């Protein structure tokens, strides 16, 4: 029997799991339409590679991430793309996001599948690429792309691979039923991941309140090196850091990840998806979802297509609308209230609770903290929830971060035991969000400063280069002048030069004579020009002036219509062109008067 360690804190809330484990997993029907979000993982949002009106097959890739961290999205069934638009998605804020709307045709026609007969004969990078192309991301937490986790840095050798089957959150039984009914696929998926990572130990951690799942897994691991380790039931033993400590005794460092201590955790649902991707060639297009709560008549688990509206699953579970008071995505401890049942099931959706007013009662109003210290006693991360609450509420974010705010896993244990009904986790989430926003703003500011400094350096460099070129030109001119002077001195020394003053005087006299000759020529030509003015040239000037005036008038009309800033400038230009046209017409009229009337041609009669 493996040695177990305990973590500090923790609570024992009512489990409420029996309601959804009385029936086997049911296959949900095909809804009227599927709403498939393009952001179902941490990282870069996938970009649609289909168009409205396209017909797609089941398992066909409809969106992909070409740059950055992310995984593709596939069509859960065959049908026609109706739209690509914003739709409400599962999120605590009730936000909308870009989704592909698929109209199923009911034919369930698959795209060509390419299963791998013996993955061990392939290169590890090829197998990792297959997992990535299948669109697999973590199905038990925040949706971290699985291939990223399966490719740790070279300096972080994974010694222990853990499959998380604890599922400690009340109400949720999706992993429990998956281990009961798909134990063989859970094990085969873990074997694929173990072949990629080559750990020295593989262990499946599962709470002792799941005897059927424990028995199914122990039978499935026969002949393998995988361990099934049963851990005591305590919330939140299913937290990644808590389960690592329970099974290995190691503590994940503050701000670190399990890979820092040679451990990796994966979810049992993720293992099933990996198994199907490799052995059957199927992408991740469905998942097990728990539909429970006192407002449904047939609580249970459904294998639902991704993109199925929550309303469709509630209907299949026998929702009683008159009893429904609140819908919760996830569990009552870490989940959040849904504002609409039109949101779709995504890769990280594991549970929807349709609760009555008596089942999940509205918490009483927040009261002042009485400093009882119960929140610190149950905190599994050994933080100081009371101080974190004060700093978060006062928006003293630096102090909250100094107390390891980001080590909080938001399990809700502190809020659960608080006698003053303070929603502590909401304050922590608010503080984390503000800190992230400030970091992003600081990053933008730093980048803007870097761009400004780079521009200033470039301008300074260009100015220096310009000055250097000016100096080089001045130096070249000086050298040329010196050379010319030297040549003159050399010519004088050889006796070829004449008196400098006489030479200059002669040059001046020649220039004056040329100017006098040019003036006389101009005066001689002037009377001839006056006698016969160039009518064609003047008419051409009038035509050009009128054309320019029309152009400027058109620009002015357009500027006035658009209320542009340059209207006054254009008005001045139009007035100036009116004057030019008038002067040109006057000159033409004057020239025509100077032309003597031509004698009349005698009649031929």
């Amino acid at each position: 029997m493996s040695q177990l360690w305990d973590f500090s804190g923790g609570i024992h809330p009512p489990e409420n799991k029996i309601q959804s484990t009385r029936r086997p997993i049911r296959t949900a029907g095909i809804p009227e339409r599927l709403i498939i979000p393009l952001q179902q993982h941490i990282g870069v949002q996938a970009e649609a590679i289909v168009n409205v009106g396209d017909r797609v097959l089941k398992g066909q890739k409809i969106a992909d991430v070409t740059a950055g961290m992310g995984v593709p999205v596939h069509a859960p069934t065959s049908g026609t793309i109706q739209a690509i638009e914003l739709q409400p998605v599962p999120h605590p804020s009730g936000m909308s996001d870009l989704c592909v709307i698929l109209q199923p045709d009911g034919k369930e026609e698959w795209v060509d599948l390419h299963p791998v007969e013996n993955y061990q004969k392939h290169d590890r990078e090829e197998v990792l690429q297959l997992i990535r192309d299948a669109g697999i991301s973590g199905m038990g937490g925040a949706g971290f792309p699985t291939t990223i986790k399966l490719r740790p840095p070279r300096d972080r050798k994974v010694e222990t691979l853990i499959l998380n089957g604890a599922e400690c959150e009340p109400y949720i039984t999706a992993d429990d039923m998956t281990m009961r009914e798909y134990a063989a696929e859970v094990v085969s998926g873990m074997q694929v991941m173990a072949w990629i990572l080559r750990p020295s130990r593989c262990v499946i951690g599962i709470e002792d309140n799941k005897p059927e799942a424990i028995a199914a897994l122990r039978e499935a691991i026969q002949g393998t090196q995988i361990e099934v380790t049963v851990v005591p039931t305590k919330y939140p033993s299913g937290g990644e850091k808590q389960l690592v400590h329970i099974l290995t005794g190691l503590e994940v460092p503050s701000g670190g990840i399990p890979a820092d201590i040679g451990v990796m955790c994966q979810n049992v649902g993720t293992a099933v998806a990996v198994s199907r991707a490799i052995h059957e060639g199927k992408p991740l297009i469905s998942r097990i979802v728990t539909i429970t709560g006192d407002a449904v008549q047939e609580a249970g688990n459904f294998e639902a297509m991704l993109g199925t509206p929550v309303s469709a699953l509630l209907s299949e579970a026998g929702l009683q609308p008159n009893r429904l008071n609140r819908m919760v995505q996830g569990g009552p401890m870490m989940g959040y209230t849904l504002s609409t049942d039109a949101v779709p099931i995504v890769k990280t959706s594991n549970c929807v609770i349709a609760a009555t007013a008596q089942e999940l009662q509205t918490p009483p109003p927040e009261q002042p903290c009485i400093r009882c210290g119960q929140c610190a006693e149950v905190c599994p991360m050994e933080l100081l929830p009371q101080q974190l609450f004060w700093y978060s509420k006062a928006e003293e974010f630096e102090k909250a971060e100094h107390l390891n705010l980001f080590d909080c896993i938001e399990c809700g244990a502190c809020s659960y035991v608080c006698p003053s009904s303070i929603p502590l986790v909401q304050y922590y989430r608010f503080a984390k969000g503000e800190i992230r926003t400030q970091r992003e703003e600081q990053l933008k500011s730093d980048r803007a400063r870097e761009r400004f400094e780079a521009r200033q350096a470039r301008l300074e460099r260009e100015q220096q280069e310009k000055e250097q070129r000016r100096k080089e030109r001045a130096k070249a001119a000086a050298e040329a002048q010196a050379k010319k002077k030297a040549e003159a001195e050399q010519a004088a020394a050889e006796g070829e030069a004449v008196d400098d003053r006489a030479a200059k005087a002669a040059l001046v006299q020649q220039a004056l004579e040329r100017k006098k000759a040019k003036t006389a020529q101009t005066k001689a030509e002037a009377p001839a020009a006056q006698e016969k003015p160039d009518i064609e040239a003047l008419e051409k000037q009038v035509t050009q002036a009128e054309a320019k005036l029309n152009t400027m008038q058109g620009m002015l009309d357009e500027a006035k219509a658009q209320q542009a800033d340059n209207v006054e400038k254009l008005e001045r230009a139009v007035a100036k062109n009116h004057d030019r046209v008038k002067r040109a017409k006057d000159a033409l009229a004057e020239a025509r008067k100077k032309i003597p009337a031509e004698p009349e041609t005698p009649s031929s009669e």
Side-chain angles (χ1 to χ4, degrees):
M1 182 177 178
S2 300
Q3 181 181 355
L4 299 179
W5 289 262
D6 192 14
F7 62 91
S8 62
I11 56 176
H12 294 84
E15 295 180 4
N16 287 311
K17 292 178 179 285
I18 189 65
Q19 298 97 312
S20 56
T21 57
R22 296 169 180 164
R23 299 176 179 83
I25 296 174
R26 288 170 281 176
T27 301
I30 303 175
E32 293 182 1
R33 69 172 189 163
L34 293 167
I35 306 167
I36 310 164
L38 299 181
Q39 181 79 53
Q40 298 187 44
H41 53 268
I42 284 181
V44 180
Q45 184 183 68
E47 296 182 7
I49 57 175
V50 292
N51 298 311
V52 176
D54 290 353
R55 185 177 185 273
V56 296
L57 300 177
K58 186 172 183 175
Q60 179 179 330
K61 188 184 297 184
I62 60 174
D64 202 357
V65 176
T66 55
M69 182 176 70
V71 292
V73 179
H74 302 79
T77 186
S78 59
T80 304
I81 304 298
Q82 262 192 340
I84 302 174
E85 61 188 15
L86 292 175
Q87 288 286 331
V89 295
H91 194 272
S93 67
M95 63 176 285
S96 295
D97 206 354
L98 197 62
C99 301
V100 174
I101 312 301
L102 176 61
Q103 178 75 48
D105 57 15
K107 297 181 180 179
E108 289 282 87
E109 294 182 11
W110 275 94
V111 71
D112 291 338
L113 302 179
H114 303 284
V116 178
E117 294 184 1
N118 189 349
Y119 62 88
Q120 296 181 357
K121 292 183 178 180
H122 292 260
D123 184 76
R124 282 175 174 74
E125 286 298 324
E126 292 180 18
V127 177
L128 283 169
Q129 187 62 37
L130 292 174
I131 294 173
R132 187 263 176 199
D133 290 342
I136 301 175
S137 57
M139 299 172 67
F144 200 85
T146 301
T147 47
I148 304 296
K149 291 186 71 173
L150 292 176
R151 193 183 281 110
R154 294 184 180 274
D155 59 342
R156 297 179 185 177
K157 175 69 171 68
V158 175
E159 298 293 341
T160 304
L161 174 61
I162 297 175
L163 214 57
N164 189 344
E167 198 171 46
C168 58
E169 179 105 4
Y171 282 92
I172 308 176
T173 59
D175 288 348
D176 184 3
M177 298 303 296
T178 297
M179 291 184 288
R180 293 189 197 187
E181 301 190 22
Y182 303 126
E185 291 181 88
V186 171
V187 172
S188 65
M190 188 177 195
Q191 287 177 315
V192 173
M193 292 187 282
W195 175 78
I196 293 171
L197 297 170
R198 296 293 177 90
S200 56
R201 182 188 180 200
C202 295
V203 55
I204 303 175
I206 182 169
E207 282 190 333
D208 57 13
N209 61 354
K210 303 174 180 61
E212 294 88 348
I214 294 169
L217 287 175
R218 284 180 171 165
E219 182 179 351
I221 64 170
Q222 296 299 319
T224 70
Q225 300 297 317
I226 299 173
E227 307 171 27
V228 173
T229 302
V230 180
V231 303
T233 298
K234 182 171 71 166
Y235 181 83
S237 61
E240 185 177 60
K241 296 180 179 180
Q242 285 67 43
L243 189 60
V244 167
H245 182 71
I246 292 171
L247 297 176
T248 67
L250 302 175
E251 184 173 336
V252 179
S254 176
I257 58 175
D260 296 335
I261 56 174
V263 181
M264 181 175 293
C265 274
Q266 297 283 0
N267 178 262
V268 293
T270 306
V272 172
V274 169
S275 174
R276 292 177 179 176
I278 301 302
H279 298 297
E280 301 177 37
K282 294 181 178 179
L284 178 55
I285 56 175
S286 65
R287 68 154 297 140
I288 308 299
V289 186
T290 302
I291 304 296
T292 186
D294 290 347
V296 294
Q297 294 176 314
E298 299 179 1
N301 286 273
F302 294 84
E303 181 160 8
M305 295 179 179
L306 301 180
T308 300
V310 167
S311 57
L313 293 181
L314 291 174
S315 178
E316 291 200 35
L319 176 66
Q320 303 174 78
N322 59 323
R323 301 191 63 193
L324 179 63
N325 179 63
R326 182 181 168 200
M327 289 183 299
V328 176
Q329 171 88 44
M333 302 298 295
M334 297 182 69
Y336 51 87
T337 301
L338 291 176
S339 57
T340 174
D341 60 2
V343 298
I345 296 299
V346 296
K347 295 176 183 179
T348 54
S349 302
N350 56 4
C351 180
V352 176
I353 303 173
T356 60
Q358 296 75 28
E359 188 176 13
L360 293 180
Q361 298 180 5
T362 302
E366 177 183 336
Q367 301 294 324
C369 174
I370 61 173
R371 297 173 175 81
C372 64
Q374 292 186 49
C375 54
E377 292 176 3
V378 301
C379 179
M381 296 303 297
E382 300 184 82
L383 301 176
L384 299 173
Q386 188 179 23
Q387 284 81 354
L388 288 174
F389 159 63
W390 289 334
Y391 292 145
S392 298
K393 188 173 184 178
E395 298 187 8
E396 297 183 30
F397 301 129
E398 289 186 7
K399 294 181 179 179
E401 193 171 3
H402 182 70
L403 291 179
N404 300 317
L405 170 67
F406 282 91
D407 282 345
C408 170
I409 62 173
E410 302 177 15
C411 65
C414 54
S415 300
Y416 182 80
V417 300
C418 180
S420 297
S421 302
I422 301 174
L424 295 167
V425 173
Q426 293 186 24
Y427 282 103
Y428 305 153
R429 286 174 177 168
F430 160 73
K432 288 180 181 180
E434 289 298 310
I435 292 172
R436 291 190 183 102
T437 300
Q438 290 178 5
R439 286 178 180 174
E440 291 175 0
E441 293 298 325
Q442 183 62 43
L443 183 61
K444 291 179 182 177
S445 176
D446 292 343
R447 287 175 177 171
R449 187 186 69 254
E450 290 173 2
R451 289 195 299 269
F452 174 77
E453 291 174 351
R455 181 177 181 274
Q456 292 298 106
R458 176 176 58 80
L459 293 175
E460 184 177 350
R461 185 175 63 254
E462 291 176 353
Q463 183 64 28
Q464 291 175 352
E465 293 173 354
K466 184 178 179 180
E467 182 66 19
Q468 181 64 26
R469 289 194 296 269
R470 187 192 65 77
K471 289 180 179 180
E472 290 175 355
R473 289 195 299 270
K475 182 179 178 182
E479 291 175 351
Q481 185 68 22
K483 183 178 179 182
K484 185 177 181 181
K485 184 177 179 182
E487 290 176 350
E489 290 175 352
Q490 183 180 1
E494 293 175 355
E496 297 177 359
V498 295
D499 182 74
D500 188 41
R501 204 176 246 184
K504 288 183 177 178
L507 291 173
V508 171
Q509 186 62 32
Q510 292 175 6
L512 290 173
E513 290 177 358
R514 287 196 299 270
K515 185 174 182 181
K516 287 179 181 179
K518 187 175 181 180
T519 303
Q521 183 180 359
T522 303
K523 288 182 178 180
E525 293 174 353
Q530 289 178 358
E531 291 174 3
K532 190 175 181 181
D534 191 347
I535 299 298
E536 292 184 1
L538 292 173
E539 289 177 343
K540 185 176 181 181
Q541 289 178 5
V542 171
T543 303
Q544 291 176 345
E546 289 178 339
K548 188 170 183 181
L549 173 61
N550 293 334
T551 300
M552 297 304 297
Q553 185 64 47
M555 293 173 63
L556 175 60
D557 294 341
E558 184 177 353
K560 286 181 176 179
Q562 297 180 356
Q563 297 183 349
D565 297 334
N566 61 342
V567 172
E568 293 183 2
K569 184 177 179 181
L570 289 171
E571 287 178 342
R572 291 195 297 271
V574 169
K576 188 181 293 184
N577 279 277
H578 271 296
D579 293 342
R580 288 177 181 170
V581 170
K582 184 176 182 304
R583 288 197 299 271
K585 288 183 176 180
D586 291 345
L588 178 60
E590 187 67 25
R592 284 175 174 165
K593 289 179 182 179
K594 292 181 180 180
I595 298 176
E598 296 181 0
E600 294 184 1
T601 304
S603 175
S604 58
E605 294 179 356

